[in-house]
Amino acid sequence: MAQDVKPRIRIPAQVKPGEVFEVKALVTHDMESGQRRDAAGALVPRRIINRLTCAYNGRPVFDAALEPAVAANPYVAFFLKATESGFLDFAWTDDDGTVYRARQAIKVG
Amino acid sequence: MAHSFDRRRLVLGASVLSAAALASLVLPRAASATPQAAAELLQKLVKGAPRQGRVVLQAPDIADNGSSVPLTITVESPMTAADHVKAIHVVADGNPNPGVISVRLGPHNGKAEVSVRIRLAASGKVIAVAEMADGGLWTASREVAVTVGGCGG
């Protein structure tokens, strides 16, 4: 099935150095579990986002392995400690090997 | 990390083929996991017996719709270089496959809290295990009653 994959990221507009803030990341994806049957009774093959990573100015800061038990349009939120302004780079890996990427600027000061 | 993703892109064609081949080989599995399957998976994910405590699981007692159940896992930790949470694993024993999510954390996270929306096929126990920097293991679990299951089918 063609997927319209849209990443959405939410962080505070500005954070202070040392501040711990929440990062909310969502990507539109069916997360086809491999358990569901189509109208003809055949199992719909599994196709999920199996990994989400986040790097803060190139440093890996979050790595999640997702199973089919994560809901469609996978939403994951976690915390980061602000160090310096720059970018958060997110990568979602699909079962088919595609990597969906998103970059979010972060303002620290 | 960037290197492995670039490589992934190169082998994209090959992985699409192998994914399709794998999918066609997958046989229908048992309808639901058991507490035993969940315990076995946890034994694979972490080595040792976790102690109760330091982990707090927030989830609704009753989930009307099992296809999207909000879950928040908080681990009591100063998240310093010496004392932090290395990983959190979540399993659900009411699902066809017990695995839910495993996350890797470190001192740069500042706070050991992760939220995720999960699927629950049937009422059961959601279990979280936290792996600390010193190798300590802590756990918490929570019963969630599901009105309408969320794994399709």
Side-chain angles (χ1 to χ4, degrees), chain B:
Chain B
M1 193 176 288
H3 171 78
S4 72
F5 282 137
D6 289 344
R7 197 184 119 265
R8 251 171 225 182
R9 238 180 225 171
L10 282 173
V11 297
L12 178 63
S15 31
V16 169
L17 282 175
S18 59
L22 261 179
S24 66
L25 286 172
V26 171
L27 298 165
R29 272 162 291 201
S32 135
T34 58
Q36 201 184 340
E40 276 167 18
L41 177 68
L42 276 178
Q43 275 308 308
K44 253 181 248 168
L45 292 169
V46 296
K47 299 280 165 246
R51 278 179 290 174
Q52 292 288 331
R54 288 184 75 170
V55 182
V56 177
L57 267 178
Q58 286 173 70
D61 293 324
I62 299 169
D64 289 330
N65 181 0
S67 65
S68 184
V69 182
L71 178 72
T72 299
I73 311 106
T74 311
V75 186
E76 196 189 301
S77 165
M79 293 305 268
T80 58
D83 184 3
H84 59 264
V85 177
K86 269 190 348 195
I88 300 172
H89 307 280
V90 181
V91 302
D93 68 11
N95 278 355
N97 296 305
V100 177
I101 191 170
S102 289
V103 302
R104 303 238 148 243
L105 300 175
H108 43 257
N109 291 105
K111 185 175 175 185
E113 182 174 309
V114 174
S115 299
V116 59
R117 291 196 198 118
I118 67 168
R119 286 176 174 144
L120 295 172
S123 301
K125 208 189 258 181
V126 179
I127 306 159
V129 175
E131 221 179 316
M132 318 302 272
D134 65 2
L137 298 172
W138 296 88
T139 186
S141 64
R142 197 183 166 102
E143 292 282 344
V144 179
V146 177
T147 319
V148 180
C151 282

